[in-house]
Structures are given as structure tokens and as C-alpha cells.
Amino acid sequence: MGIESKENSIFDTIYNSNFEIVYKVALKYSRNHHAAEEIAQNVFIKLYLNIDHINVDAARSWLILTAKYMALNLKRDRAREYLVEDLSMEEETILADSGESPEEVFVRKIKQREFVELKEDIFAALYEKNPRWYDAITISYVLEKPQKEVAENMGVTLEVLHSMLYRARKWIKENYKDEYDHLHKD
């Protein structure tokens, strides 16, 4: 009994001194009060279940990181949810006129969403890899600015811009070709 009450007092101490910060971190990353409360509760349940293996001195850092990643995971998972009821009346009319079955429309929408997610992943990774490549690609190809103008704005020659674009495209192909091919195969 002495060990259990000691563990409970350690847990209570950690809980009382860290609940507010855990909730604030969960709220910051989830941007939802109810989700933040649930995340904070789950973080402390996880702490309680693993109190024997937790370094008490590092508990605050562990709690903050756990709350952050739980919130990010929840946000990611919710972003990928797709409800069939989300079809508007206009889409239902188009569906009826197109001859596509609801399953085909659903699969098409999922595929579109996967392409958007891949595009976002590519641009985020490209920015991390080399912000200048990111700028060159987005301004040249996304904003469709003339390459001569892009080169002038970036303070480089047209040949250097072409080289940057080539290296960026090559890097994207090397790192994302398989994922892109997989999406196109289905």
C-alpha cells in the first residue's frame, strides 16, 4: 500500500503542476476545446499507466511532447475523414447526370484528396530541403511567372534559375516518384 500511495502522490503532483500546460499545448495544436480536453485526459491516462517507467524530472517535457503529437495525429486523422453525407445537392445532380455510381464518385474524391496531400507533402519537404528551390518552383510553375522575371526577382541569372528548377524537379522525382506512380496506377 505504501508504494501505491507514493505513486499516486507523485502522479497527483505531476498532474496538478502540469495539467494547464498540457491542455494549452493540446489546444494550440488541435484548435478545438473539446479535443484538447480529451487529449489532456489521454496524456494523463498514459502517464498514470506508465508512471513506473517515467523519469519524474523529465515528466513535464514528456507530457508536452505527448500532448503535441496526440493533437497533431488527431488533426491529421480528422483531415482525412470523408463523410458521404458531405455531397451537396449540386454534386448529387451531377452524379445522377454523369452515370457514375456513388462508389465511383467516392473513390474519385478520395484519389483527389490523396493527390492534394501528396502535393502538400512535396512542397513542405521541398521547402525544408532548400527554400530557394521552393521559391523557384512555386513562382515559376504554380504562379506561372515568366522565368526571366523570376530569375531577376531572385537575383540570379536565367541559367542559374534553370539549374535550380532542374535540380528541384530531379529531387522531387527521386523522392516522390513511387508515391506518384502508386496514385496514378489505381
Side-chain angles (χ1 to χ4, degrees), residues 3 32 47 62 73 78 100 125 129-130 136 151 154 186:
I3 293 174
N32 181 305
L47 172 71
W62 181 87
N73 288 341
R78 285 192 176 160
E100 282 183 303
K129 173 71 176 164
N130 189 327
M154 293 182 74
D186 296 333

Short mmCIF file of all heavy atoms in Angstrom, two decimals, residues 3 32 47 62 73 78 100 125 129-130 136 151 154 186:
data_model
loop_
_atom_site.label_atom_id
_atom_site.label_comp_id
_atom_site.label_asym_id
_atom_site.label_seq_id
_atom_site.Cartn_x
_atom_site.Cartn_y
_atom_site.Cartn_z
N ILE A 3 3.67 1.80 -1.51
CA ILE A 3 4.16 2.10 -2.86
C ILE A 3 3.04 2.72 -3.69
O ILE A 3 3.26 3.69 -4.41
CB ILE A 3 4.70 0.81 -3.53
CG1 ILE A 3 5.95 0.33 -2.81
CG2 ILE A 3 5.00 1.06 -5.00
CD1 ILE A 3 6.47 -1.00 -3.30
N ASN A 32 -9.22 23.01 -30.89
CA ASN A 32 -10.57 22.61 -30.54
C ASN A 32 -10.59 22.32 -29.04
O ASN A 32 -9.84 21.46 -28.56
CB ASN A 32 -10.96 21.36 -31.34
CG ASN A 32 -12.35 20.89 -31.04
OD1 ASN A 32 -12.71 20.65 -29.89
ND2 ASN A 32 -13.15 20.74 -32.08
N LEU A 47 0.26 8.62 -18.77
CA LEU A 47 1.23 8.83 -17.68
C LEU A 47 0.94 7.91 -16.51
O LEU A 47 1.84 7.26 -15.98
CB LEU A 47 1.21 10.30 -17.21
CG LEU A 47 2.03 10.58 -15.96
CD1 LEU A 47 3.52 10.51 -16.28
CD2 LEU A 47 1.68 11.93 -15.38
N TRP A 62 7.96 15.29 -21.32
CA TRP A 62 7.27 14.14 -21.89
C TRP A 62 5.79 14.45 -22.09
O TRP A 62 5.22 14.14 -23.14
CB TRP A 62 7.45 12.92 -20.98
CG TRP A 62 6.79 11.69 -21.50
CD1 TRP A 62 7.31 10.78 -22.36
CD2 TRP A 62 5.46 11.24 -21.20
NE1 TRP A 62 6.39 9.79 -22.61
CE2 TRP A 62 5.25 10.04 -21.91
CE3 TRP A 62 4.43 11.71 -20.39
CZ2 TRP A 62 4.06 9.33 -21.83
CZ3 TRP A 62 3.25 11.01 -20.33
CH2 TRP A 62 3.07 9.82 -21.05
N ASN A 73 -1.66 14.18 -34.44
CA ASN A 73 -2.19 12.94 -35.00
C ASN A 73 -3.71 13.02 -35.16
O ASN A 73 -4.26 12.60 -36.18
CB ASN A 73 -1.82 11.74 -34.15
CG ASN A 73 -0.36 11.38 -34.26
OD1 ASN A 73 0.32 11.77 -35.20
ND2 ASN A 73 0.15 10.65 -33.28
N ARG A 78 -8.39 13.52 -38.58
CA ARG A 78 -9.67 14.17 -38.87
C ARG A 78 -9.66 14.82 -40.25
O ARG A 78 -10.69 14.92 -40.89
CB ARG A 78 -10.00 15.20 -37.80
CG ARG A 78 -10.46 14.55 -36.53
CD ARG A 78 -11.05 15.51 -35.56
NE ARG A 78 -11.56 14.80 -34.41
CZ ARG A 78 -11.78 15.37 -33.25
NH1 ARG A 78 -11.56 16.65 -33.09
NH2 ARG A 78 -12.24 14.66 -32.25
N GLU A 100 -22.08 7.99 -62.99
CA GLU A 100 -21.15 7.38 -62.04
C GLU A 100 -21.93 6.87 -60.84
O GLU A 100 -22.88 7.50 -60.39
CB GLU A 100 -20.12 8.40 -61.55
CG GLU A 100 -19.01 8.70 -62.50
CD GLU A 100 -18.00 9.66 -61.88
OE1 GLU A 100 -18.39 10.75 -61.46
OE2 GLU A 100 -16.82 9.28 -61.82
N ALA A 125 8.30 19.29 -47.95
CA ALA A 125 9.64 18.68 -47.95
C ALA A 125 10.60 19.50 -48.80
O ALA A 125 11.78 19.65 -48.44
CB ALA A 125 9.55 17.25 -48.47
N LYS A 129 14.07 21.12 -47.62
CA LYS A 129 15.30 20.76 -48.32
C LYS A 129 16.06 22.00 -48.79
O LYS A 129 17.25 22.14 -48.55
CB LYS A 129 14.97 19.86 -49.52
CG LYS A 129 16.13 19.53 -50.43
CD LYS A 129 17.09 18.59 -49.78
CE LYS A 129 18.19 18.22 -50.77
NZ LYS A 129 19.32 17.63 -50.12
N ASN A 130 15.35 22.91 -49.45
CA ASN A 130 16.02 24.09 -49.99
C ASN A 130 14.97 25.17 -50.27
O ASN A 130 14.24 25.08 -51.27
CB ASN A 130 16.77 23.73 -51.28
CG ASN A 130 17.65 24.85 -51.77
OD1 ASN A 130 17.34 26.03 -51.62
ND2 ASN A 130 18.75 24.47 -52.39
N ALA A 136 11.69 29.01 -56.36
CA ALA A 136 11.81 28.89 -57.82
C ALA A 136 10.66 28.07 -58.40
O ALA A 136 10.04 28.46 -59.39
CB ALA A 136 13.15 28.28 -58.19
N ALA A 151 13.94 34.91 -62.38
CA ALA A 151 15.40 35.00 -62.21
C ALA A 151 15.79 36.39 -61.71
O ALA A 151 16.60 36.52 -60.79
CB ALA A 151 16.11 34.66 -63.51
N MET A 154 14.78 36.86 -58.09
CA MET A 154 15.59 36.06 -57.17
C MET A 154 17.05 36.50 -57.18
O MET A 154 17.84 36.03 -56.36
CB MET A 154 15.48 34.57 -57.51
CG MET A 154 14.10 34.00 -57.26
SD MET A 154 13.99 32.24 -57.60
CE MET A 154 14.87 31.59 -56.18
N ASP A 186 -3.70 3.19 -59.69
CA ASP A 186 -5.04 2.72 -59.30
C ASP A 186 -6.12 3.18 -60.22
O ASP A 186 -6.30 4.11 -60.80
CB ASP A 186 -5.37 3.14 -57.87
CG ASP A 186 -4.41 2.47 -56.88
OD1 ASP A 186 -3.91 1.40 -57.21
OD2 ASP A 186 -4.19 3.03 -55.80
#
